[in-house]
Amino acid sequence: MAKAAKKNKILELKAQLKEKKLSPLYIFYGEEEYLKEYYIKKIEELVPDAGLPEYNRIVISGAVDYGEYDDVWESMPMMTDKRLVVIRDSNIFTTRRSGDIKPPDEDQKEFWQSKFKRIAEDTVVVFCEKNVDARSALFKAASKAGSAVEFAYLALPDLRAWIVRRMLKAGKKIDTNTADYLVSVLDPGLANLENELDKLINYCGDTVYMSDIDKVVSKALSVSVFGITDGIMNGDADKALKVLSELRTQKQSAFGILYLIYSNVEKMLHLKIAGATNKYQAAEIVGGSPWMAAKYLDGAKGFSEDALMHMVLRVPEIDYEIKNGLTTDWRALENYVLETLEMRAKK
């Protein structure tokens, strides 16, 4: 139901843009920054600034003095029917303090409640937020005054379709397996995907192959770390230690690598316990692409459930040893990899 509701909100937004009938207020939130910026640009196209952006295209970023919010809210467009106000990272829809992020106090809540009840017909306001609590009173009030649209990372079928369309537009072909492989080796986010697609389009011939991806795409750290896990799963000590050495040369964080290995092992344990039998079932359990899920599934076959459980529980112990000065981070990581290789050899 939740996924359907999110999709319906995006469809509503698309319909508004097509019909050129905008809501007075939007909250754009969620992890997919590319889509938030894409739809802000689409709204900008429907709200021309009449050559006076200082009056008709106002952008406020971060926490500002509330007098500035008030001035912007009460001003009017110049030489045009509508103006656009984009408010970025206001954090007014948060309810808990986290680092520098402070939720609004009672006076600020009252301020925004009054503003949301009175939005001028000649203004379109877009909140573009990273931190949102959809249960907050201000979020509910703003949603009632306009429309809240969540942009989550796209699911694999949507990403696959995005890649195929992008390649066709460039006059190139890519099959679904290769598209899935591309998704599996990248950090999430359409901005990153677009950058790597540009590389492939400029490098490849008429058809994109997995070997092309291996040659030109900048793979996510998690994928590089999976090379260590892959070596462990296959009992290939040379491969595991080689990748580990390369990551150390790149000055990657030993802690980060340790917890990525932990994540991989934990997924294998989940699949072992669940008794998954194919990559599609595995993908449902651990998320991600069927291609990567198949790797976890194959890896789980190389260990007993007890061995995987030990490998998972060992990481918090190592974390404690490092933080209490009993060992160094890289020595602990190398010993952990060797320990897991020994377990694989005994299987």
Side-chain angles (χ1 to χ4, degrees):
M1 284 294 284
K3 287 183 179 179
K6 292 174 190 175
K7 193 166 187 179
N8 286 340
K9 285 293 184 181
I10 295 175
L11 291 175
E12 285 176 19
L13 175 60
K14 287 181 177 179
Q16 289 176 354
L17 292 169
K18 186 177 181 180
E19 296 168 8
K20 300 181 181 181
K21 295 179 180 178
L22 298 175
S23 291
L25 182 145
Y26 293 94
I27 309 171
F28 288 172
Y29 67 107
E31 55 211 357
E32 186 47 86
E33 296 294 330
Y34 183 96
L35 289 179
K36 286 191 276 187
E37 297 304 325
Y38 173 84
Y39 282 106
I40 287 175
K41 285 186 174 63
K42 289 294 182 184
I43 291 173
E44 285 178 349
E45 291 171 7
L46 297 180
V47 187
D49 63 17
L52 297 167
E54 65 272 28
Y55 296 103
N56 301 322
R57 189 69 51 76
I58 301 164
V59 179
I60 300 176
S61 297
V64 298
D65 182 85
Y66 266 62
E68 184 174 344
Y69 284 132
D70 194 49
D71 289 343
V72 166
W73 211 269
E74 300 303 326
S75 60
M76 297 181 294
M78 184 76 71
M79 305 297 289
T80 186
D81 294 334
K82 279 188 182 293
R83 67 192 178 114
L84 176 62
V85 177
V86 179
I87 301 175
R88 297 181 179 276
D89 300 321
S90 68
N91 295 317
I92 68 166
F93 305 112
T94 59
T95 53
R96 293 183 181 181
R97 180 164 186 165
S98 177
D100 294 332
I101 298 170
K102 298 178 183 178
D105 60 28
E106 291 306 314
D107 288 341
Q108 291 166 344
K109 288 178 185 176
E110 186 175 337
F111 170 90
W112 285 114
Q113 289 280 8
S114 68
K115 296 302 181 188
F116 295 150
K117 290 176 182 176
R118 186 173 54 82
I119 304 174
E121 293 182 359
D122 57 17
T123 299
V124 177
V125 180
V126 180
F127 285 90
C128 186
E129 303 286 335
K130 292 185 179 69
N131 303 291
V132 162
D133 183 347
R135 300 166 299 177
S136 74
L138 285 184
F139 183 89
K140 291 175 181 176
S143 300
K144 186 176 180 181
S147 179
V149 186
E150 181 177 3
F151 296 102
Y153 288 136
L154 297 185
L156 178 62
D158 296 321
L159 288 169
R160 185 189 297 140
W162 183 288
I163 292 167
V164 171
R165 284 197 305 269
R166 184 77 166 76
M167 286 299 178
L168 285 173
K169 187 177 179 181
K172 298 180 186 291
K173 296 179 182 178
I174 185 170
D175 63 38
T176 54
N177 285 335
T178 306
D180 288 357
Y181 176 65
L182 177 60
V183 171
S184 72
V185 301
L186 296 178
D187 282 323
L190 285 173
N192 186 43
L193 176 59
E194 280 289 308
N195 287 336
E196 300 306 325
L197 285 173
D198 284 341
K199 289 184 190 176
L200 287 169
I201 288 166
N202 291 329
Y203 172 84
C204 297
D206 293 338
T207 303
V208 180
Y209 299 101
M210 289 187 189
S211 58
D212 297 321
I213 293 170
D214 290 333
K215 288 174 185 173
V216 302
V217 165
S218 300
K219 295 181 180 178
L221 175 61
S222 59
V223 175
S224 298
V225 169
F226 198 87
I228 301 172
T229 311
D230 207 32
I232 293 168
M233 292 187 303
N234 295 311
D236 188 341
D238 289 341
K239 178 179 180 178
L241 295 175
K242 180 175 181 290
V243 175
L244 190 62
S245 176
E246 290 171 352
L247 292 173
R248 186 170 188 175
T249 301
Q250 295 169 14
K251 301 188 183 304
Q252 298 289 352
S253 162
F255 268 112
I257 294 168
L258 178 64
Y259 277 94
L260 284 170
I261 296 174
Y262 169 85
S263 176
N264 292 337
V265 173
E266 189 178 42
K267 287 182 174 70
M268 289 190 280
L269 177 60
H270 282 319
L271 295 178
K272 194 84 171 180
I273 293 171
T277 57
N278 62 67
K279 62 183 180 181
Y280 299 105
Q281 188 180 25
E284 285 289 320
I285 295 169
V286 299
S289 70
W291 182 89
M292 187 59 82
K295 299 280 283 182
Y296 293 126
L297 190 60
D298 288 342
K301 295 173 184 175
F303 298 90
S304 68
E305 185 176 320
D306 287 342
L308 289 170
M309 183 67 75
H310 174 81
M311 290 158 67
V312 167
L313 296 176
R314 184 77 182 98
V315 172
E317 295 175 354
I318 294 171
D319 184 279
Y320 175 84
E321 292 166 6
I322 295 170
K323 288 177 178 175
N324 284 274
L326 303 177
T327 185
T328 62
D329 52 1
W330 276 100
R331 181 179 298 171
L333 176 58
E334 289 164 357
N335 287 340
Y336 178 71
V337 171
L338 290 171
E339 183 181 330
T340 54
L341 281 163
E342 286 178 13
M343 288 184 176
R344 177 65 178 81
K346 292 176 182 177
K347 176 67 172 66

